[in-house]
Amino acid sequence: MHLDPARVKHIPDDLLLVVTYRCNSRCTMCGIWEGDQSGKGEMTPDEYRRVIPDSLEHVNITGGETFLRADLPEVVAAVHEAAPRANLTISTNGLQPSRTKRMLPDLLRVLPDIGFGVSIDGEEAMHDKVRGVPGNYRKCIETVRILQEGGATNLRIGFTSMGENDAHLSRIYRLAKSMGVEFTCAVAHNSEHYFQTTSNHNVHVDILSRELDYVAREELKSPRPKSWFRAYFQKGLGDFASTGQRPVRCEAAHDSYMIDPYGRVFPCNILNMPVGNVREQSFEEIWVSKEMDEVRHVVRNCKEPCWMVCTARSAIKRHLPKVSTWVVVNKLKAHFGMNVVPLAPAPPTPASTADASPGAAEPATPIAS
């Protein structure tokens, strides 16, 4: 589906595509698994083919647990056909290594460079505890190995910090490096419609900030530009945990959005503000609607604390000069073993102003390497 810039002011380039709310994990920071597990009414590959715009550059295919969809290769094929320029990533809890192995050849035939993100939230005992499934950690490691041996080259391990596991973040970063895969991280967020919980409040800011500072400095030492911008995200995550503010303005409902398994369109996975259903209206009708414009106004004045890659990625792109300046200054500092400067939070957007510039912030205490 093509969006005509002459008719559509905000062309989206980033989609969080939730293909199922079924889940075989029992995570302490998420309530998806406590909801409806029937899978009835989930969107079909043909529906995805019709409703996804070709403007997209990034699509995170997530759940629930994505590999519980028997038609996952068909879903991926449909998304790729609809948005051929988009980088696609499948997020998984890694609990089904055998099923992953069976599906992998079909997935790679559709898109040889498709990404996979496997969640690991701590060393073995910790990961199994917070994910609520004995043996989960070992299955995750097996899944990463299966993906590597099966020919997948775009792999990452994703860590979610939730308080009790904060001190494990740098350990899982080193695990990812030892396995030759990339590393991403997040802080457990609250969300009524997506994570289906409001009980995440217990991150240990001092521990998490030290862990993230270490990881950000290591990423800044990398020769890969992608790692430098991940460092910006990671430092922003620590500063967000400390202040509750994001370093750059959110672009949800402007550049990015979410579709749930039943076709409902949301600005993001935090704001519980559904704006239409692609089964009942065209995506363009929803995207240019008065209701979506009202949501954009809410986003510009949003008080919900969040800093997640699904909305941060487009925000970083939109504010690239500011982010690049931070990267250049702090890459030099990282190479000389100096503190990585925290990010100044973006101030609230005045009702009459579209853009704003952040102020200064004091340096953070570094972690011992």
Side-chain angles (χ1 to χ4, degrees), residues 40-88:
K40 292 181 180 179
E42 293 173 350
M43 290 187 68
T44 67
D46 283 342
E47 287 177 309
Y48 288 128
R49 193 175 283 108
R50 290 196 300 269
V51 305
I52 290 178
D54 61 7
S55 61
L56 296 176
E57 298 176 8
H58 298 278
V59 180
N60 182 3
I61 300 172
T62 188
E65 171 46 40
T66 50
F67 279 91
L68 287 176
R69 284 202 60 149
D71 62 348
L72 182 60
E74 289 75 24
V75 169
V76 169
V79 175
H80 179 54
E81 288 176 31
R85 296 186 301 116
N87 297 310
L88 307 188

Side-chain angles (χ1 to χ4, degrees), residues 248-285:
V248 290
R249 190 181 65 185
C250 183
E251 300 297 337
H254 295 77
D255 298 341
S256 60
Y257 67 105
M258 166 186 156
I259 297 180
D260 81 357
Y262 315 111
R264 294 184 301 169
V265 177
F266 293 82
C268 62
N269 58 353
I270 302 299
L271 285 176
N272 188 12
M273 300 182 69
V275 189
N277 190 308
V278 292
R279 284 173 158 167
E280 301 166 0
Q281 301 170 265
S282 74
F283 175 73
E284 182 173 321
E285 288 174 331

Side-chain angles (χ1 to χ4, degrees), residues 324-358:
S324 299
T325 299
W326 184 92
V327 166
V328 170
V329 170
N330 288 284
K331 182 170 176 59
L332 292 171
K333 291 187 174 186
H335 278 287
F336 286 101
M338 300 169 66
N339 292 8
V340 175
V341 178
L343 313 176
T349 304
S352 61
T353 306
D355 295 298
S357 300

Side-chain angles (χ1 to χ4, degrees), residues 128-148:
D128 289 359
K129 177 184 178 184
V130 300
R131 290 281 167 169
V133 179
N136 191 330
Y137 178 89
R138 295 192 179 193
K139 288 184 178 179
C140 286
I141 298 299
E142 183 182 356
T143 295
V144 173
R145 294 298 188 202
I146 283 171
L147 291 168
Q148 289 176 315

